[in-house]
Amino acid sequence: MDKKIFSGVQPTGNLHLGNYLGAIKNFVDLNNNKNNECIFCVVDLHAITVRQDPKQLRNNIRETVATFIASGIDPKKSIIFNQSSVSAHAEGAWILSCVARMGWLNRMTQFKEKAGKDKEKASIGLYSYPVLMASDILLYDATHVPVGDDQKQHLELCRDIAQKFNNDFEVENFLKVPEPLIQKEFSRIMSLKDGSKKMSKSELSDLSRINLTDEKDQIINKIKKAKTDPLPMPQNINELEDRLEAKNLLGIYSSLTNSSLKNSVEIFAGKNFSEFKEKLSDQLVNKIDPISKEIKKLLRDKSYLDKILLDGVEKADLIASKKIERIKEIVGF
Ligand code: AQP
């Protein structure tokens, strides 16, 4: 095996272009390399760190599985399962929360952003979220974790937790210290309405993101309405520093066409945004419309999606339960 891959996506609805270009596209490439062993998890325990409607959550779990498959992950090659069905994740999270330090968690920017000003009212789960994420990864001895740039800090914490556990219990290399796999360019896709904010599921305005279930007309409309600035398209890459929306849209175009940002800037230099937006919409429709259609088709066959989860749970549980038993022995249970 080349790499042992583990990554997760929260079933919190509105999976979007940021999730696709930042994470899922990478999952598909890793899944296609036969030397990799891949595990992709629908992290439903993470999802409830902020309030979820139970009925909606159940639908979102299936929709996340459908999105994985529609994007090109093959459930015969990769394990796809949901986190809450493998109890070792929660058990591991508790044990690791006794290893992780408050000072480490206090530095996590995602908690600060999500909890906002009203920290006192945030759930304890939202605060300890990165410890559960460490448990997810470490239970499978993952060597590599493909994530978007926003998860980099959590992954560093996971590495610290693994190292501290190994040191504290004198079990060298028992918990494998994983490497992040973050794309060099376009690892953070920004909102279509504000180039300084991450494209996000929870943003109220649907116009801020391209959902993976959007249809052709919706995609074209959202790109037409995407925020730009009054200047023509940038002449060179240096101009992008102060033109966040142009940078984001050119980044999306580059990622979809597998080209460099510099190359995309050169193609559209000095042109009107409307001309560029037309080409960007074409690329998006070509990529997202088939995925959107496939997601909807798959969602009509709930028993197929449930079967994939059941098979995945069985395989994941075999691996995770062995590791948690060893962890329990090591800590003295
Ligand atoms: N905007 C993004 N650009 C690049 N990568 C992104 N990812 C998320 N947003 C972007 C990556 O997608 C993977 C799955 O993300 P997640 O399920 O942890 O959740 P999320 O999309 O960040 O959404 P939340 O937390 O449910 O909602 P918001 O953000 O709206 O509060 C991860 O690898 C992530 O890096």
Side-chain angles (χ1 to χ4, degrees):
M1 283 292 154
D2 263 0
K3 296 186 178 107
K4 271 194 185 174
I5 307 294
F6 183 96
S7 197
V9 172
Q10 297 186 74
T12 36
N14 299 331
L15 281 169
H16 52 71
L17 186 69
N19 298 127
Y20 179 74
L21 295 179
I24 300 173
K25 183 175 171 233
N26 211 357
F27 297 177
V28 177
D29 294 342
L30 292 160
N31 161 93
N32 288 342
N33 181 337
K34 63 177 178 5
N35 292 322
N36 294 334
E37 195 180 301
C38 298
I39 305 178
F40 299 116
C41 186
V42 181
V43 288
D44 46 9
L45 294 175
H46 278 103
I48 62 163
T49 54
V50 291
R51 175 134 178 73
Q52 303 294 325
D53 169 353
K55 220 182 190 170
Q56 195 61 43
L57 178 60
R58 218 159 282 134
N59 289 334
N60 286 339
I61 292 170
R62 290 197 181 103
E63 190 166 314
T64 309
V65 178
T67 304
F68 283 165
I69 298 168
S71 304
I73 296 173
D74 179 354
K76 291 198 190 78
K77 286 192 195 153
S78 298
I79 298 178
I80 297 175
F81 77 106
N82 69 312
Q83 189 186 26
S84 64
S85 298
V86 177
S87 59
H89 290 253
E91 291 180 82
W94 178 258
I95 295 170
L96 296 179
S97 74
C98 301
V99 173
R101 304 289 96 178
M102 292 281 285
W104 300 354
L105 280 170
N106 285 341
R107 286 198 286 276
M108 296 297 112
T109 52
Q110 180 174 291
F111 175 75
K112 289 179 194 158
E113 280 162 19
K114 286 201 171 179
K117 287 198 189 90
D118 215 354
K119 270 212 309 262
E120 300 292 314
K121 288 205 174 135
S123 73
I124 294 168
L126 190 65
Y127 180 73
S128 59
Y129 177 114
V131 182
L132 176 59
M133 180 166 159
S135 169
D136 300 339
I137 296 165
L138 299 173
L139 282 171
Y140 297 91
D141 293 335
T143 59
H144 294 82
V145 183
V147 281
D149 180 62
D150 58 316
Q151 291 297 326
K152 192 170 167 202
Q153 197 185 29
H154 289 169
L155 218 55
E156 278 158 12
L157 185 96
C158 170
R159 292 165 57 88
D160 289 343
I161 293 175
Q163 272 156 350
K164 182 160 165 47
F165 182 96
N166 292 343
N167 286 339
D168 286 358
F169 295 99
E170 298 178 7
V171 281
E172 207 182 336
N173 277 333
F174 169 71
L175 292 181
K176 303 284 174 286
V177 180
E179 295 293 331
L181 280 181
I182 300 175
Q183 309 193 59
K184 284 193 192 75
E185 281 194 302
F186 331 120
S187 56
R188 192 181 285 240
I189 304 297
M190 311 310 274
S191 156
L192 299 180
K193 289 279 150 204
D194 179 349
S196 67
K197 276 194 189 159
K198 178 181 101 137
M199 185 177 283
S200 122
K201 296 167 182 160
S202 57
E203 170 61 49
L204 286 179
S205 167
D206 195 53
L207 289 174
S208 68
R209 63 181 164 262
I210 304 285
N211 299 309
L212 297 178
T213 48
D214 280 347
E215 292 176 4
K216 184 178 170 186
D217 292 348
Q218 288 170 296
I219 296 172
I220 295 171
N221 184 40
K222 285 180 180 179
I223 294 301
K224 252 191 208 142
K225 294 196 169 146
K227 186 175 171 199
T228 52
D229 55 46
L231 302 172
M233 294 291 290
Q235 295 285 354
N236 60 59
I237 205 157
N238 300 331
E239 264 186 59
L240 294 180
E241 278 323 299
D242 302 321
R243 301 180 64 187
L244 297 182
E245 283 78 20
K247 183 178 180 186
N248 186 40
L249 293 178
L250 279 159
I252 294 173
Y253 181 87
S254 309
S255 182
L256 290 166
T257 55
N258 292 318
S259 50
S260 70
L261 193 55
K262 185 168 175 286
N263 188 37
S264 304
V265 171
E266 279 165 13
I267 297 173
F268 297 103
K271 296 195 170 148
N272 289 329
F273 268 103
S274 56
E275 194 178 335
F276 163 66
K277 280 184 165 184
E278 243 176 67
K279 296 276 185 281
L280 174 61
S281 289
D282 288 348
Q283 292 296 336
L284 278 166
V285 168
N286 279 344
K287 183 48 88 183
I288 304 301
D289 194 48
I291 294 178
S292 165
K293 290 200 169 93
E294 189 61 19
I295 293 173
K296 285 168 193 149
K297 194 179 122 200
L298 287 163
L299 281 173
R300 286 196 286 273
D301 192 352
K302 291 195 173 63
S303 56
Y304 171 68
L305 298 172
D306 291 349
K307 173 87 173 58
I308 287 175
L309 280 176
L310 269 177
D311 288 351
V313 164
E314 204 175 306
K315 290 179 193 152
D317 193 50
L318 266 179
I319 306 170
S321 56
K322 272 194 202 128
K323 192 79 180 177
I324 196 72
E325 281 318 309
R326 272 295 289 138
I327 292 176
K328 286 182 185 171
E329 266 174 51
I330 288 170
V331 299
F333 294 159

